[in-house]
Amino acid sequence: MSAAYATFALAPATRAGAVLADGGYQVHRDFVDFVVDGRPLLFRLADLDAVSPLASDVPPAIFTAQVRALLLEAEPPLPDGRFVLYGCPECADLACGAVTAVIERDGDDYVWRDFAWQTGEHADLERDGYHGMGPFRFHGPGYRAALAALAGDAGGPPAPRRVLLVGARVAVLARLAAALRGIGMGADITQDATAVPAGELRGYGAVFFGPTVGGAERAAVRRAFEHAGAEVACVDGLAPIVPLLVAQIEHALDRSPLPRRRLTALAAAGTAADLEVASPCRVRVTAYRYGRLHRTRAQEVFDGILEPGRHRVPLGAGAAPGRSFVVARTSGSVLVEPVAPGDPGSARGTRRARHGDH
């Protein structure tokens, strides 16, 4: 086992929710990720849609128990001294698969080793081990301090964020509110946010303006949030397409620093989109078209694993500037852009992404 030390830290992270093409939902989850040597541990797992057990929507007692387990103050939940580091974001069932590892003490140090993908009571390291990942040795005082602070005065990670929808109770806002609630995010509709108490305003992470809200009304809403001391992201919908609006809101809620994002840039023009990723990851690109007769067409144009760098994705001949939009997403982040006329940019350093790349 290597005697070299790795740094250990914790950072807020998000599994972005989505409204799927078949009408289903992908749940929004806020959680705390493990940062090893300055890089989220989840980034080392290219094709994994998962969250850590340190999620904001678990009861406080369970959250505290998870922290105590990582500190080895409780028994391992799995045989052979194994702990779950990442699990299914929808149900957290081990049968769906989980990333597990042995956590043990070595003197005052903590060691994470034998990482594996596990779907049953025991892990098969030869078949399902993450070979070449770890072991990681952490200084005990720093490791304990990071986890103790998480379970300390703050009582765990921030509460799940809510979205305030401002506008008349028209059908699109009602559908958007239902979709946000479907992915596990709170949503409320109001016509006059200035009457909302300051304490309630501080519970929102984003405000969405319906198409009927005028400039003066928008300014009044922003002033209300400012007077409440609430930092809120403001979203103007690109088109009355609910999955697109959900993606816009997810993007607005992403406050993570750029070095901790996998998907870092998106541009769309003509019949192609250029995107940039910072680490190997699975990326899904969906094109939406809003027709003159108010009909919506959604088409998945790419779904595959991309290596770091810039990639070009063809959108097809149906992409019309001004009426077409592109959503690119990884498990943790979403980018949204309208399709502009012309070319998305220089092809230098850009690789053509192939559907289903692995």
Side-chain angles (χ1 to χ4, degrees):
M1 182 181 298
S2 171
Y5 283 97
T7 62
F8 179 85
L10 300 166
T14 297
R15 190 268 192 151
V19 179
L20 305 178
D22 61 3
Y25 295 108
Q26 177 177 292
V27 176
H28 173 102
R29 301 290 302 277
D30 291 307
F31 65 101
V32 175
D33 198 7
F34 311 109
V35 181
V36 177
D37 286 336
R39 183 186 182 201
L41 186 63
L42 192 57
F43 282 19
R44 299 173 188 261
L45 309 166
D47 190 23
L48 186 64
D49 180 15
V51 299
S52 82
L54 305 176
S56 63
D57 55 350
V58 300
I62 295 179
F63 184 89
T64 300
Q66 298 287 2
V67 173
R68 291 185 62 238
L70 294 171
L71 289 167
L72 301 184
E73 296 174 359
E75 290 298 314
L78 298 171
D80 308 316
R82 303 192 70 82
F83 294 79
V84 174
L85 300 182
Y86 297 105
C88 174
E90 300 289 342
C91 66
D93 192 329
L94 183 63
C96 292
V99 177
T100 67
V102 173
I103 301 179
E104 61 187 9
R105 290 285 296 270
D106 185 9
D108 197 37
D109 299 338
Y110 289 78
V111 177
W112 290 16
R113 62 175 176 84
D114 295 339
F115 292 83
W117 177 253
Q118 189 167 344
T119 56
E121 187 175 8
H122 296 277
D124 187 332
L125 294 179
E126 184 64 28
R127 183 189 64 193
D128 299 321
Y130 286 100
H131 305 291
M133 183 172 172
F136 300 117
R137 176 182 291 268
F138 306 115
H139 280 289
Y143 180 92
R144 289 190 293 270
L147 288 165
L150 188 62
D153 296 335
R161 291 169 287 190
R162 301 178 63 82
V163 181
L164 183 63
L165 312 179
V166 180
R169 290 181 176 271
V170 294
V172 64
L173 287 188
R175 293 199 304 271
L176 177 56
L180 290 170
R181 293 166 189 153
I183 68 172
M185 189 180 296
D188 302 298
I189 302 175
T190 184
Q191 288 184 277
D192 183 12
T194 60
V196 180
E200 292 186 25
L201 290 179
R202 287 192 285 271
Y204 294 103
V207 56
F208 175 89
F209 294 110
T212 62
V213 182
E217 296 169 287
R218 294 170 190 241
V221 171
R222 292 188 177 96
R223 286 195 299 271
F225 276 98
E226 289 173 2
H227 292 160
E231 183 180 352
V232 66
C234 296
V235 180
D236 293 310
L238 290 171
I241 304 171
V242 170
L244 179 70
L245 300 180
V246 170
Q248 280 191 264
I249 290 170
E250 286 282 9
H251 171 63
L253 287 171
D254 188 354
R255 308 292 178 84
S256 60
L258 200 59
R260 290 184 180 165
R261 299 187 191 184
R262 285 177 162 178
L263 186 59
T264 57
L266 172 67
T271 59
D274 279 355
L275 53 90
E276 185 172 357
V277 296
S279 64
C281 59
R282 180 183 179 184
V283 179
R284 287 180 291 155
V285 181
T286 307
Y288 294 93
R289 183 179 180 185
Y290 188 61
R292 290 188 175 88
L293 298 179
H294 307 292
R295 294 177 180 173
T296 301
R297 180 188 176 193
Q299 180 183 4
E300 184 181 272
V301 295
F302 179 78
D303 183 357
I305 297 176
L306 297 180
E307 295 298 319
R310 294 181 62 86
H311 303 268
R312 175 157 294 184
V313 175
L315 300 178
R323 300 196 310 276
S324 297
F325 312 90
V326 176
V327 174
R329 65 170 64 244
T330 65
S331 62
S333 60
V334 180
L335 292 179
V336 183
E337 286 292 330
V339 177
D343 187 271
S346 171
R348 180 179 299 174
T350 302
R351 288 175 284 179
R352 184 184 176 97
R354 295 178 298 171
H355 198 75
D357 273 357
H358 289 279

